[in-house]
Coordinates of all heavy atoms in Angstrom, one line a residue:
M1 N 245.0 189.9 129.7 CA 245.0 190.8 128.6 C 245.3 190.1 127.3 O 244.6 190.4 126.3 CB 245.9 191.9 128.9 CG 246.0 193.0 127.8 SD 244.5 194.0 128.0 CE 244.9 195.2 126.8
A2 N 246.3 189.2 127.3 CA 246.6 188.6 126.0 C 245.5 187.6 125.6 O 245.2 187.5 124.4 CB 247.9 187.8 126.2
E3 N 244.8 187.1 126.6 CA 243.6 186.2 126.2 C 242.5 187.0 125.6 O 241.9 186.5 124.6 CB 243.1 185.5 127.5 CG 242.1 184.5 127.2 CD 241.7 183.7 128.5 OE1 242.5 183.2 129.1 OE2 240.5 183.7 128.7
T4 N 242.3 188.2 126.1 CA 241.2 189.1 125.5 C 241.6 189.4 124.1 O 240.7 189.4 123.2 CB 241.1 190.4 126.4 OG1 240.8 190.0 127.7 CG2 240.0 191.3 125.8
N5 N 242.9 189.6 123.8 CA 243.2 190.0 122.4 C 243.0 188.8 121.5 O 242.8 189.0 120.3 CB 244.7 190.4 122.4 CG 244.9 191.8 122.9 OD1 243.9 192.6 123.0 ND2 246.1 192.1 123.4
R6 N 243.2 187.6 122.0 CA 243.0 186.4 121.1 C 241.5 186.2 120.8 O 241.2 185.6 119.8 CB 243.5 185.2 121.8 CG 245.1 185.1 121.6 CD 245.6 183.8 122.1 NE 246.0 184.1 123.5 CZ 246.2 183.3 124.5 NH1 245.8 182.1 124.3 NH2 246.6 183.7 125.6
E7 N 240.6 186.7 121.7 CA 239.2 186.6 121.4 C 238.7 187.6 120.4 O 237.6 187.5 119.9 CB 238.4 186.8 122.8 CG 238.7 185.6 123.7 CD 238.1 185.9 125.1 OE1 237.3 186.9 125.2 OE2 238.3 185.1 126.0
K8 N 239.5 188.7 120.2 CA 239.1 189.8 119.3 C 239.7 189.5 117.9 O 240.8 188.9 117.8 CB 239.6 191.1 119.8 CG 238.9 191.5 121.1 CD 237.5 191.8 121.0 CE 236.9 192.3 122.3 NZ 235.5 192.4 122.2
L9 N 239.0 190.0 116.9 CA 239.5 189.8 115.5 C 239.3 191.1 114.8 O 238.2 191.7 114.9 CB 238.7 188.7 114.9 CG 239.1 188.3 113.5 CD1 240.5 187.7 113.4 CD2 238.1 187.2 113.0
H10 N 240.3 191.6 114.1 CA 240.2 192.8 113.3 C 239.9 192.3 111.8 O 240.6 191.6 111.2 CB 241.5 193.5 113.3 CG 241.5 194.8 112.6 ND1 241.2 195.9 113.2 CD2 241.8 195.1 111.3 CE1 241.3 197.0 112.3 NE2 241.6 196.4 111.1
I11 N 238.7 192.8 111.4 CA 238.3 192.4 110.0 C 237.9 193.6 109.2 O 237.6 194.7 109.7 CB 237.1 191.4 110.0 CG1 235.9 191.9 110.6 CG2 237.6 190.1 110.7 CD1 234.6 191.0 110.4
R12 N 237.8 193.4 107.9 CA 237.3 194.5 107.0 C 236.1 193.9 106.3 O 236.1 192.9 105.7 CB 238.4 194.8 105.9 CG 237.9 195.9 105.0 CD 239.0 196.3 104.0 NE 240.1 196.9 104.7 CZ 241.4 196.8 104.4 NH1 241.7 196.1 103.3 NH2 242.3 197.3 105.1
L13 N 235.0 194.7 106.5 CA 233.7 194.3 105.9 C 233.4 195.2 104.7 O 233.7 196.4 104.7 CB 232.6 194.5 106.9 CG 232.6 193.6 108.1 CD1 231.5 194.0 109.1 CD2 232.4 192.1 107.7
H14 N 233.0 194.6 103.6 CA 232.6 195.4 102.4 C 231.0 195.5 102.5 O 230.3 194.5 102.4 CB 233.0 194.7 101.1 CG 232.7 195.5 99.9 ND1 233.4 196.6 99.6 CD2 231.7 195.4 99.0 CE1 232.9 197.1 98.5 NE2 231.9 196.4 98.1
V15 N 230.6 196.8 102.8 CA 229.2 197.1 102.9 C 228.8 198.1 101.8 O 229.3 199.2 101.7 CB 228.8 197.6 104.2 CG1 227.3 197.9 104.3 CG2 229.2 196.7 105.4
Y16 N 228.0 197.6 100.8 CA 227.6 198.4 99.6 C 228.8 198.7 98.9 O 229.5 197.9 98.3 CB 226.7 199.5 100.0 CG 226.2 200.3 98.8 CD1 225.6 199.6 97.7 CD2 226.4 201.7 98.7 CE1 225.2 200.3 96.6 CE2 226.0 202.4 97.6 CZ 225.4 201.7 96.5 OH 225.0 202.4 95.4
N17 N 229.2 200.0 98.9 CA 230.4 200.4 98.1 C 231.5 200.9 99.1 O 232.3 201.7 98.6 CB 230.0 201.5 97.1 CG 229.5 202.7 97.7 OD1 229.3 202.8 99.0 ND2 229.3 203.8 96.9
E18 N 231.5 200.5 100.3 CA 232.5 201.0 101.3 C 233.1 199.8 102.1 O 232.4 198.9 102.4 CB 231.8 202.0 102.2 CG 232.7 202.8 103.0 CD 232.1 204.0 103.6 OE1 231.2 204.6 103.0 OE2 232.4 204.3 104.8
D19 N 234.3 199.9 102.4 CA 235.0 198.9 103.3 C 235.0 199.6 104.7 O 235.4 200.7 104.9 CB 236.4 198.6 102.9 CG 236.5 197.7 101.6 OD1 235.5 197.0 101.4 OD2 237.4 197.8 100.9
I20 N 234.6 198.7 105.6 CA 234.6 199.2 107.1 C 235.4 198.3 107.9 O 235.3 197.0 107.8 CB 233.1 199.1 107.6 CG1 232.2 200.0 106.7 CG2 233.0 199.5 109.0 CD1 230.7 199.8 107.0
E21 N 236.3 198.8 108.7 CA 237.2 198.0 109.5 C 236.6 198.0 110.9 O 236.2 199.0 111.5 CB 238.6 198.6 109.6 CG 239.3 198.5 108.2 CD 240.8 198.9 108.3 OE1 241.3 198.9 109.4 OE2 241.3 199.1 107.2
V22 N 236.4 196.8 111.4 CA 235.9 196.6 112.8 C 236.7 195.6 113.6 O 237.3 194.7 113.0 CB 234.4 196.2 112.7 CG1 233.5 197.2 112.1 CG2 234.2 194.9 111.9
V23 N 236.6 195.7 114.9 CA 237.2 194.8 115.8 C 236.0 194.1 116.5 O 235.2 194.7 117.1 CB 238.1 195.5 116.8 CG1 238.7 194.4 117.8 CG2 239.2 196.2 116.1
I24 N 236.0 192.8 116.4 CA 234.8 192.0 116.8 C 235.3 190.8 117.6 O 236.5 190.5 117.7 CB 234.0 191.5 115.6 CG1 234.9 190.5 114.7 CG2 233.5 192.6 114.8 CD1 234.2 189.8 113.7
N25 N 234.4 190.2 118.3 CA 234.6 188.9 119.0 C 234.8 187.8 117.9 O 234.0 187.8 116.9 CB 233.5 188.5 119.9 CG 233.4 189.3 121.1 OD1 234.5 189.8 121.6 ND2 232.2 189.6 121.6
R26 N 235.8 187.0 118.0 CA 236.1 186.0 117.0 C 234.9 185.1 116.7 O 234.7 184.8 115.6 CB 237.3 185.2 117.5 CG 237.9 184.3 116.5 CD 239.2 183.6 117.0 NE 240.3 184.6 117.3 CZ 241.1 185.0 116.3 NH1 240.9 184.6 115.1 NH2 242.1 185.8 116.6
D27 N 234.1 184.8 117.7 CA 233.0 183.9 117.5 C 231.9 184.6 116.7 O 231.0 183.9 116.2 CB 232.4 183.5 118.9 CG 233.3 182.7 119.7 OD1 234.3 182.0 119.1 OD2 233.2 182.6 120.9
D28 N 231.9 185.9 116.5 CA 230.8 186.6 115.8 C 231.2 186.9 114.4 O 230.4 187.5 113.7 CB 230.5 187.9 116.6 CG 229.9 187.7 117.9 OD1 229.3 186.6 118.1 OD2 230.0 188.6 118.8
E29 N 232.3 186.5 113.9 CA 232.7 186.9 112.5 C 231.7 186.5 111.5 O 231.4 187.3 110.6 CB 234.1 186.2 112.2 CG 234.5 186.6 110.8 CD 235.9 186.0 110.4 OE1 236.4 185.1 111.1 OE2 236.4 186.3 109.3
E30 N 231.2 185.3 111.5 CA 230.2 184.9 110.5 C 229.0 185.7 110.5 O 228.4 186.0 109.5 CB 229.9 183.4 110.6 CG 229.0 183.0 111.8 CD 228.7 181.5 111.9 OE1 227.9 181.1 111.1 OE2 229.3 180.8 112.7
Y31 N 228.6 186.1 111.7 CA 227.4 187.0 111.8 C 227.6 188.4 111.2 O 226.7 188.9 110.5 CB 226.9 187.1 113.3 CG 226.6 185.8 113.9 CD1 227.3 185.3 115.0 CD2 225.5 185.0 113.4 CE1 227.0 184.1 115.5 CE2 225.2 183.8 114.0 CZ 225.9 183.4 115.0 OH 225.6 182.2 115.6
Y32 N 228.8 188.9 111.5 CA 229.1 190.2 110.9 C 229.2 190.1 109.3 O 228.7 191.0 108.6 CB 230.5 190.7 111.4 CG 230.3 191.4 112.7 CD1 230.4 190.7 113.9 CD2 230.2 192.8 112.8 CE1 230.3 191.4 115.2 CE2 230.1 193.5 114.0 CZ 230.1 192.8 115.1 OH 230.0 193.5 116.3
R33 N 229.8 189.1 108.8 CA 229.9 188.9 107.4 C 228.5 188.7 106.7 O 228.2 189.3 105.7 CB 230.9 187.8 107.0 CG 232.3 188.1 107.5 CD 233.3 187.4 106.8 NE 234.7 187.6 107.3 CZ 235.4 188.7 107.0 NH1 235.0 189.6 106.2 NH2 236.6 188.8 107.5
A34 N 227.7 188.0 107.4 CA 226.3 187.8 106.9 C 225.5 189.1 106.9 O 224.8 189.4 106.1 CB 225.6 186.7 107.7
A35 N 225.7 189.8 108.0 CA 225.0 191.1 108.1 C 225.5 192.1 107.0 O 224.6 192.8 106.5 CB 225.3 191.7 109.5
A36 N 226.8 192.1 106.8 CA 227.3 193.0 105.7 C 226.7 192.6 104.4 O 226.3 193.4 103.6 CB 228.8 193.0 105.7
K37 N 226.6 191.3 104.2 CA 226.0 190.8 102.9 C 224.6 191.2 102.8 O 224.1 191.6 101.7 CB 226.2 189.3 102.8 CG 225.7 188.7 101.5 CD 226.0 187.2 101.5 CE 225.4 186.7 100.2 NZ 225.6 185.2 100.0
L38 N 223.8 191.0 103.8 CA 222.4 191.3 103.8 C 222.2 192.8 103.6 O 221.3 193.2 102.7 CB 221.8 191.0 105.2 CG 220.3 191.4 105.4 CD1 219.4 190.7 104.4 CD2 219.9 191.1 106.8
I39 N 222.9 193.7 104.2 CA 222.8 195.1 104.0 C 223.1 195.5 102.6 O 222.4 196.2 101.9 CB 223.8 195.9 105.0 CG1 223.3 195.7 106.4 CG2 223.9 197.4 104.6 CD1 224.4 196.2 107.5
T40 N 224.2 194.9 102.1 CA 224.5 195.2 100.7 C 223.5 194.7 99.7 O 223.1 195.5 98.8 CB 225.9 194.5 100.3 OG1 226.9 195.0 101.2 CG2 226.3 194.8 98.9
E41 N 222.9 193.5 99.9 CA 221.9 193.0 99.0 C 220.6 193.9 99.1 O 220.1 194.2 98.0 CB 221.6 191.6 99.4 CG 222.6 190.6 99.0 CD 222.4 189.2 99.5 OE1 221.4 189.0 100.3 OE2 223.2 188.3 99.2
R42 N 220.2 194.2 100.3 CA 219.0 195.1 100.4 C 219.2 196.5 99.9 O 218.3 197.0 99.2 CB 218.5 195.1 101.9 CG 218.2 193.8 102.5 CD 217.2 192.9 101.7 NE 216.0 193.7 101.3 CZ 215.4 193.5 100.1 NH1 215.8 192.6 99.3 NH2 214.3 194.2 99.8
Y43 N 220.4 197.0 100.1 CA 220.6 198.4 99.6 C 220.7 198.3 98.1 O 220.1 199.2 97.5 CB 222.0 198.9 100.1 CG 222.2 200.4 99.8 CD1 221.9 201.3 100.8 CD2 222.6 200.8 98.6 CE1 222.1 202.7 100.5 CE2 222.8 202.1 98.3 CZ 222.5 203.1 99.2 OH 222.6 204.4 98.9
N44 N 221.3 197.4 97.5 CA 221.4 197.3 96.0 C 220.0 197.1 95.5 O 219.7 197.7 94.4 CB 222.2 196.1 95.6 CG 223.7 196.4 95.8 OD1 224.1 197.5 95.7 ND2 224.5 195.3 95.9
A45 N 219.1 196.3 96.1 CA 217.7 196.2 95.6 C 217.0 197.5 95.6 O 216.3 197.9 94.6 CB 217.0 195.2 96.4
Y46 N 217.1 198.3 96.7 CA 216.4 199.6 96.8 C 217.1 200.6 95.8 O 216.4 201.4 95.2 CB 216.4 200.1 98.2 CG 215.4 199.5 99.1 CD1 215.7 198.6 100.1 CD2 214.0 199.8 98.9 CE1 214.8 198.1 100.9 CE2 213.1 199.2 99.7 CZ 213.4 198.4 100.7 OH 212.5 197.8 101.5
A47 N 218.4 200.5 95.7 CA 219.1 201.5 94.8 C 218.7 201.2 93.4 O 218.5 202.2 92.6 CB 220.6 201.3 94.9
Q48 N 218.5 200.0 93.0 CA 218.1 199.6 91.6 C 216.6 200.1 91.4 O 216.3 200.6 90.3 CB 218.2 198.1 91.4 CG 218.0 197.7 90.0 CD 218.2 196.2 89.8 OE1 218.2 195.5 90.7 NE2 218.5 195.9 88.5
A49 N 215.8 199.9 92.4 CA 214.4 200.3 92.2 C 214.2 201.8 92.2 O 213.3 202.3 91.5 CB 213.6 199.6 93.3
Y50 N 215.0 202.5 93.0 CA 214.7 204.0 93.1 C 215.8 204.8 92.6 O 215.9 206.0 93.0 CB 214.4 204.3 94.6 CG 213.2 203.6 95.1 CD1 213.3 202.4 95.9 CD2 212.0 204.1 94.8 CE1 212.1 201.8 96.4 CE2 210.8 203.5 95.3 CZ 210.9 202.4 96.0 OH 209.7 201.7 96.5
K51 N 216.7 204.3 91.8 CA 217.9 205.1 91.4 C 217.4 206.3 90.6 O 216.5 206.2 89.7 CB 218.7 204.2 90.4 CG 220.0 204.9 90.0 CD 220.8 204.0 89.1 CE 222.1 204.6 88.8 NZ 223.0 203.7 88.1
G52 N 217.9 207.5 91.0 CA 217.5 208.7 90.3 C 216.3 209.4 90.8 O 216.0 210.5 90.6
R53 N 215.5 208.6 91.7 CA 214.3 209.1 92.2 C 214.4 209.4 93.7 O 213.6 210.2 94.2 CB 213.1 208.2 92.0 CG 212.8 208.0 90.5 CD 211.6 207.2 90.3 NE 211.8 205.9 90.9 CZ 210.9 204.9 90.9 NH1 209.7 205.1 90.4 NH2 211.1 203.7 91.5
K54 N 215.3 208.7 94.4 CA 215.5 208.9 95.8 C 217.0 209.2 96.1 O 217.8 208.7 95.4 CB 215.1 207.7 96.6 CG 213.7 207.2 96.4 CD 212.7 208.0 97.3 CE 211.3 207.4 97.1 NZ 210.3 208.2 97.8
S55 N 217.2 209.9 97.2 CA 218.6 210.2 97.5 C 219.2 208.9 98.2 O 218.5 208.0 98.6 CB 218.7 211.3 98.5 OG 218.1 210.9 99.8
E56 N 220.6 208.9 98.2 CA 221.3 207.8 98.8 C 220.9 207.7 100.3 O 220.8 206.6 100.9 CB 222.8 208.0 98.7 CG 223.3 207.7 97.3 CD 224.8 207.6 97.3 OE1 225.4 207.4 98.3 OE2 225.3 207.7 96.1
H57 N 220.7 208.8 101.0 CA 220.3 208.8 102.3 C 219.0 208.1 102.5 O 218.8 207.3 103.4 CB 220.2 210.3 102.9 CG 219.8 210.4 104.3 ND1 220.6 210.1 105.3 CD2 218.6 210.8 104.8 CE1 220.0 210.3 106.5 NE2 218.7 210.7 106.2
T58 N 218.0 208.5 101.7 CA 216.6 207.9 101.8 C 216.7 206.4 101.5 O 216.1 205.6 102.1 CB 215.7 208.5 100.8 OG1 215.6 209.9 101.1 CG2 214.3 207.9 100.8
I59 N 217.5 206.0 100.5 CA 217.7 204.6 100.2 C 218.3 203.8 101.4 O 217.9 202.7 101.7 CB 218.5 204.4 98.9 CG1 217.7 204.9 97.7 CG2 219.0 202.9 98.7 CD1 218.5 204.9 96.4
A60 N 219.3 204.4 102.0 CA 219.9 203.9 103.2 C 218.8 203.7 104.3 O 218.8 202.6 105.0 CB 221.1 204.7 103.7
L61 N 218.0 204.7 104.5 CA 217.0 204.6 105.6 C 215.9 203.5 105.2 O 215.5 202.8 106.1 CB 216.3 205.9 105.7 CG 217.1 207.0 106.4 CD1 216.3 208.4 106.4 CD2 217.6 206.7 107.8
M62 N 215.6 203.4 104.0 CA 214.7 202.3 103.5 C 215.3 201.0 103.8 O 214.6 200.1 104.2 CB 214.4 202.5 102.0 CG 213.5 203.7 101.7 SD 213.5 204.1 100.0 CE 212.3 202.9 99.4
T63 N 216.6 200.8 103.6 CA 217.3 199.6 103.9 C 217.2 199.3 105.3 O 217.0 198.1 105.8 CB 218.8 199.7 103.4 OG1 218.7 200.0 102.0 CG2 219.5 198.4 103.6
L64 N 217.5 200.3 106.2 CA 217.5 200.1 107.6 C 216.1 199.7 108.1 O 215.9 198.8 108.9 CB 217.9 201.4 108.3 CG 219.3 201.7 108.3 CD1 219.6 203.1 108.8 CD2 220.1 200.7 109.1
V65 N 215.0 200.3 107.6 CA 213.7 200.0 108.0 C 213.4 198.5 107.5 O 212.8 197.8 108.3 CB 212.7 201.0 107.4 CG1 211.2 200.5 107.5 CG2 212.8 202.3 108.0
D66 N 213.8 198.1 106.3 CA 213.5 196.8 105.8 C 214.2 195.8 106.8 O 213.6 194.8 107.2 CB 214.1 196.7 104.4 CG 213.8 195.3 103.8 OD1 212.7 194.7 104.1 OD2 214.5 195.0 102.9
I67 N 215.4 196.0 107.1 CA 216.1 195.0 108.0 C 215.6 195.1 109.4 O 215.4 194.0 110.0 CB 217.7 195.3 108.0 CG1 218.2 195.0 106.5 CG2 218.4 194.5 109.0 CD1 219.6 195.4 106.3
A68 N 215.2 196.2 109.9 CA 214.6 196.3 111.2 C 213.3 195.6 111.3 O 212.9 194.9 112.3 CB 214.4 197.8 111.6
L69 N 212.5 195.7 110.2 CA 211.2 194.9 110.1 C 211.5 193.4 110.2 O 210.8 192.7 110.9 CB 210.5 195.3 108.8 CG 209.2 194.6 108.6 CD1 208.2 195.0 109.6 CD2 208.7 194.9 107.2
L70 N 212.5 192.9 109.4 CA 212.8 191.5 109.5 C 213.2 191.1 111.0 O 212.8 190.1 111.4 CB 214.0 191.2 108.6 CG 213.8 191.3 107.1 CD1 215.1 191.1 106.4 CD2 212.9 190.1 106.7
Y71 N 214.0 192.0 111.6 CA 214.4 191.7 113.0 C 213.1 191.7 113.9 O 213.0 190.8 114.8 CB 215.3 192.8 113.4 CG 215.6 192.8 114.9 CD1 216.5 191.9 115.5 CD2 215.0 193.7 115.8 CE1 216.7 191.8 116.8 CE2 215.3 193.6 117.2 CZ 216.1 192.7 117.7 OH 216.4 192.7 119.0
Q72 N 212.2 192.6 113.8 CA 211.1 192.7 114.7 C 210.2 191.5 114.5 O 209.7 190.9 115.4 CB 210.3 194.0 114.4 CG 211.0 195.2 114.9 CD 211.2 195.2 116.4 OE1 210.5 194.7 117.2 NE2 212.3 195.9 116.8
K73 N 210.0 191.1 113.2 CA 209.2 189.9 113.0 C 209.8 188.7 113.6 O 209.1 187.8 114.2 CB 209.0 189.7 111.4 CG 208.0 190.6 110.8 CD 207.9 190.3 109.3 CE 206.9 191.3 108.7 NZ 206.7 191.0 107.2
E74 N 211.1 188.5 113.4 CA 211.8 187.3 114.0 C 211.7 187.4 115.5 O 211.6 186.4 116.2 CB 213.3 187.3 113.5 CG 214.0 186.1 113.9 CD 213.5 184.8 113.4 OE1 212.9 184.8 112.3 OE2 213.6 183.8 114.1
R75 N 211.8 188.6 116.1 CA 211.8 188.7 117.5 C 210.5 188.3 118.1 O 210.4 187.7 119.2 CB 212.1 190.2 117.9 CG 212.3 190.4 119.3 CD 212.8 191.9 119.4 NE 212.6 192.3 120.8 CZ 212.4 193.5 121.1 NH1 212.4 194.5 120.2 NH2 212.1 193.8 122.4
T76 N 209.4 188.6 117.4 CA 208.1 188.2 117.9 C 207.9 186.6 117.8 O 207.2 186.1 118.6 CB 206.9 188.9 117.2 OG1 207.0 188.5 115.8 CG2 207.0 190.3 117.4
H77 N 208.5 186.0 116.9 CA 208.5 184.6 116.8 C 209.2 183.9 117.9 O 208.9 182.8 118.3 CB 209.1 184.0 115.4 CG 208.3 184.4 114.2 ND1 206.9 184.4 114.2 CD2 208.7 184.8 113.0 CE1 206.5 184.8 113.0 NE2 207.6 185.0 112.3
N78 N 210.2 184.5 118.5 CA 211.0 184.0 119.6 C 210.5 184.5 121.0 O 211.2 184.1 122.0 CB 212.4 184.3 119.4 CG 213.0 183.6 118.2 OD1 212.6 182.5 117.8 ND2 213.9 184.3 117.5
D79 N 209.4 185.2 121.0 CA 209.0 185.7 122.3 C 208.2 184.6 123.1 O 207.1 184.1 122.6 CB 208.0 186.9 122.0 CG 207.5 187.6 123.3 OD1 208.1 187.3 124.4 OD2 206.6 188.4 123.3
T80 N 208.7 184.2 124.2 CA 208.2 183.1 125.0 C 207.3 183.7 126.1 O 206.7 182.9 126.8 CB 209.2 182.3 125.6 OG1 210.1 183.0 126.4 CG2 210.1 181.6 124.5
S81 N 207.2 185.0 126.3 CA 206.4 185.5 127.4 C 204.9 185.1 127.4 O 204.4 184.8 128.5 CB 206.6 187.1 127.5 OG 206.1 187.7 126.3
P82 N 204.2 185.0 126.2 CA 202.8 184.5 126.3 C 202.8 183.1 126.9 O 201.9 182.8 127.7 CB 202.4 184.5 124.9 CG 203.2 185.5 124.2 CD 204.6 185.4 124.9
Y83 N 203.7 182.3 126.5 CA 203.7 180.9 127.0 C 204.1 180.9 128.5 O 203.5 180.1 129.3 CB 204.7 180.0 126.2 CG 204.4 180.0 124.8 CD1 205.2 180.7 123.9 CD2 203.3 179.4 124.3 CE1 205.0 180.7 122.5 CE2 203.0 179.4 122.9 CZ 203.8 180.1 122.0 OH 203.6 180.1 120.7
D84 N 205.0 181.7 128.9 CA 205.4 181.8 130.3 C 204.3 182.3 131.2 O 204.0 181.7 132.2 CB 206.6 182.7 130.5 CG 207.8 182.2 129.8 OD1 208.0 181.0 129.6 OD2 208.8 183.1 129.5
N85 N 203.5 183.2 130.7 CA 202.3 183.7 131.4 C 201.3 182.6 131.6 O 200.7 182.5 132.7 CB 201.7 184.9 130.7 CG 202.6 186.1 130.7 OD1 203.5 186.2 131.6 ND2 202.4 187.0 129.8
I86 N 201.0 181.9 130.5 CA 200.0 180.8 130.6 C 200.5 179.7 131.6 O 199.7 179.2 132.4 CB 199.8 180.2 129.2 CG1 199.0 181.2 128.4 CG2 199.0 178.8 129.3 CD1 198.9 180.8 126.9
L87 N 201.8 179.4 131.5 CA 202.3 178.4 132.5 C 202.3 178.8 133.9 O 202.0 178.1 134.8 CB 203.8 178.0 132.0 CG 203.9 177.2 130.8 CD1 205.4 177.0 130.4 CD2 203.3 175.8 131.0
A88 N 202.5 180.1 134.1 CA 202.4 180.7 135.5 C 201.0 180.6 136.0 O 200.8 180.3 137.2 CB 202.9 182.1 135.4
K89 N 200.0 180.8 135.2 CA 198.6 180.8 135.6 C 198.3 179.3 135.9 O 197.5 179.0 136.8 CB 197.7 181.3 134.5 CG 197.8 182.8 134.4 CD 196.9 183.3 133.3 CE 197.1 184.8 133.1 NZ 196.3 185.3 132.0
L90 N 198.8 178.4 135.1 CA 198.4 177.0 135.3 C 199.1 176.4 136.6 O 198.5 175.5 137.2 CB 198.8 176.1 134.1 CG 198.1 176.4 132.8 CD1 198.7 175.6 131.7 CD2 196.6 176.0 133.0
T91 N 200.2 176.9 136.9 CA 200.9 176.4 138.1 C 200.6 177.3 139.3 O 200.6 177.2 140.4 CB 202.4 176.3 137.9 OG1 202.9 177.6 137.6 CG2 202.8 175.3 136.8

C-alpha cells in the first residue's frame, strides 16, 4: 500500500482560468502538465477568435473537437494494422 502511494502524486493543474487538483501516476506528470497547457492554449485561441459571439460552452466544445482531431490524426499515423495485414498475407 505504501508503495502504491509513492507512485501517486497530488498536483494542481491550471487549465484556462481554473485550477484542478488531480491524483496521478508520478510517471505521467509531464503529460498532464503538457495536456493542461495545450488545452489552455487552444481554448485561449478560440476565446480570442470568438469572444462575444460564442458561449463559453461552445468554445470549450470547439477546443475539445480541435484536440480530439489532433489525437485522431496522430492515432492513424501509429496504426500498424495495414502493415500487419500485408505481412500476414506474405507469410
Side-chain angles (χ1 to χ4, degrees):
M1 180 77 177
E3 186 176 310
T4 303
N5 287 338
R6 280 185 264 154
E7 293 174 8
K8 299 292 183 184
L9 184 64
H10 183 91
I11 64 172
R12 181 175 295 147
L13 296 173
H14 185 75
V15 181
Y16 183 52
N17 63 353
E18 192 166 326
D19 287 332
I20 301 170
E21 293 187 20
V22 293
V23 177
I24 61 168
N25 288 327
R26 191 172 293 278
D27 296 338
D28 293 337
E29 181 181 7
E30 70 179 287
Y31 300 116
Y32 275 88
R33 295 201 184 279
K37 183 178 178 183
L38 174 64
I39 292 166
T40 300
E41 288 171 353
R42 298 309 310 146
Y43 190 96
N44 284 336
Y46 281 110
Q48 187 175 23
Y50 296 103
K51 187 176 184 176
R53 296 184 302 176
K54 302 279 185 186
S55 69
E56 285 189 19
H57 179 76
T58 301
I59 291 171
L61 291 175
M62 292 167 74
T63 303
L64 286 171
V65 170
D66 187 26
I67 293 170
L69 179 63
L70 290 171
Y71 170 78
Q72 290 298 330
K73 285 181 177 181
E74 186 63 30
R75 192 170 156 208
T76 59
H77 291 322
N78 294 327
D79 184 13
T80 60
S81 60
Y83 305 108
D84 294 339
N85 292 338
I86 290 171
L87 288 174
K89 289 177 184 177
L90 292 174
T91 58

